[in-house]
Amino acid sequence: MTTTTAPPAKTTQRAGDRWFSRTALFAGSMILVTLAAVAIFLFVQSIPGITATSDNASIITTNFWDYVWPLAFGTVWASILALIMAVPLAIAVALFISHYAPRRLAQTLGYIVDLLAAVPSVVFGLWGILVLAPAVQPVYAWLVDNMGWFPLFGGPVSATGRTIFTAAIVLAVMVVPIITAICREIFLQTPVLHEEAALALGATRWEMVRMSVFPFARSGIVSASMLGLGRALGETMAVAMVLSASGVITFQLFTARNPSTIPANIALTFPEAYGTNINVLIATGLILFIVTFAVNALARWIVSRRKEFSGAN
């Protein structure tokens, strides 16, 4: 006697599930469409600017690449300086909130960090001009006088304090809340069994953090840092208000001659731009778009290398 198995019954999807699935698919597709539209717009509008010379664009002296190279350098240099200062501080604050502070203090500090992320960039710019720059100028003068032999501290000191390093400090303060908030949540996701096992083996609190928390959160720390770097690369108003730029390429941190950044240069130059000059500025925006895209792609690649690690294994 042979038995026949009935074909599996078709499951009918509810109308609400179909609506939600199609809505999610549409929303995800719109992200790609928007990104492609922005890229196409920048590329098409940048062609006249990339091929422009001093004959048809008044804001450049020779060609486009000589014009954009100092701006790209200043953008990356200021962002790297900001990240060097922001990442250790953000990790320390996140670690204190998640593993050292009492619960009530940790909640209060968490709320303060989240509120700092909502402060407008113009406020940071005003703080940088009126408070930070005058306060750090004597420090810059002392470093130049006593440590001028170091290449980064060489050159005549700025009389106003509005240098590339001041702009980097402002950027660091702006990205610290973002990196801190992400790192804090990642540290809190560390499996409790890993922490208890380390403590049971006789590890101190710091050894437990170093052996259990940091390995688990490594990819998340990289993602948070790259997110902060993307914020620093695209910051406009705060840098435009604080930085006294002269369009040079220099690694010196405290002089009055500083490289500008692409976003700040666009914000300051665009109101008076006309004709091909607008295309030149859009072309610099395309360079910034490529740099930001490359930074995020690098972050995704670094995170994917740690994808097989899980707190459950």
Side-chain angles (χ1 to χ4, degrees):
M1 181 176 180
T2 59
T3 59
T4 58
T5 58
K10 294 183 179 180
T11 58
T12 59
Q13 197 176 31
R14 295 182 179 180
D17 293 337
R18 290 196 303 270
W19 178 85
F20 179 79
S21 176
R22 293 171 183 175
T23 302
L25 178 62
F26 174 77
S29 302
M30 285 303 299
I31 296 176
L32 299 178
V33 171
T34 303
L35 181 63
V38 171
I40 293 173
F41 165 78
L42 291 175
F43 181 77
V44 172
Q45 294 294 325
S46 298
I47 294 177
I50 294 175
T51 58
T53 61
S54 58
D55 297 332
N56 52 10
S58 60
I59 61 176
I60 61 178
T61 55
T62 55
N63 56 59
F64 170 76
W65 299 109
D66 291 338
Y67 176 77
V68 75
W69 168 238
L71 300 175
F73 169 80
T75 304
V76 176
W77 180 230
S79 301
I80 291 176
L81 291 174
L83 211 64
I84 292 174
M85 292 182 284
V87 171
L89 178 60
I91 293 176
V93 174
L95 192 62
F96 176 76
I97 294 175
S98 60
H99 285 79
Y100 286 91
R103 186 168 184 178
R104 290 187 177 180
L105 179 59
Q107 290 179 347
T108 304
L109 290 177
Y111 294 147
I112 294 175
V113 168
D114 294 338
L115 288 176
L116 283 176
V119 176
S121 59
V122 176
V123 176
F124 284 108
L126 291 173
W127 170 75
I129 292 177
L130 301 177
V131 179
L132 181 62
V136 297
Q137 199 279 334
V139 180
Y140 294 168
W142 186 89
L143 289 173
V144 171
D145 293 337
N146 295 275
M147 301 183 64
W149 51 267
F150 189 63
L152 296 181
F153 301 158
V157 67
S158 171
T160 62
R162 297 173 59 183
T163 67
I164 190 71
F165 193 72
T166 305
I169 294 175
V170 173
L171 289 177
V173 174
M174 296 180 66
V175 302
V176 159
I178 300 174
I179 303 176
T180 301
I182 298 176
C183 290
R184 179 192 65 202
E185 297 301 324
I186 295 170
F187 292 161
L188 291 173
Q189 297 301 318
T190 304
V192 179
L193 290 178
H194 288 194
E195 299 179 356
E196 293 178 347
L199 294 174
L201 292 174
T204 63
R205 180 74 65 89
W206 165 244
E207 289 173 339
M208 178 271 294
V209 169
R210 184 166 52 87
M211 292 187 299
S212 300
V213 178
F214 283 165
F216 178 83
R218 187 174 301 163
S219 60
I221 293 174
V222 173
S223 300
S225 303
M226 292 300 104
L227 184 61
L229 178 60
R231 170 71 188 277
L233 288 171
E235 180 52 42
T236 303
M237 290 309 302
V239 177
M241 296 170 67
V242 173
L243 184 61
S244 177
S246 56
V248 298
I249 299 177
T250 177
F251 286 96
Q252 295 175 344
L253 301 177
F254 308 139
T255 63
R257 302 176 71 247
N258 302 282
S260 183
T261 65
I262 293 177
N265 180 73
I266 293 176
L268 296 175
T269 309
F270 192 83
E272 300 178 357
Y274 60 91
T276 310
N277 294 332
I278 296 178
N279 299 103
V280 172
L281 295 178
I282 295 177
T284 61
L286 175 64
I287 301 300
L288 179 63
F289 179 83
I290 295 174
V291 171
T292 307
F293 190 84
V295 167
N296 284 276
L298 177 63
R300 295 299 305 172
W301 177 75
I302 295 175
V303 172
S304 65
R305 294 185 61 187
R306 297 284 300 173
K307 189 175 182 180
E308 69 277 3
F309 181 83
S310 172
N313 55 23

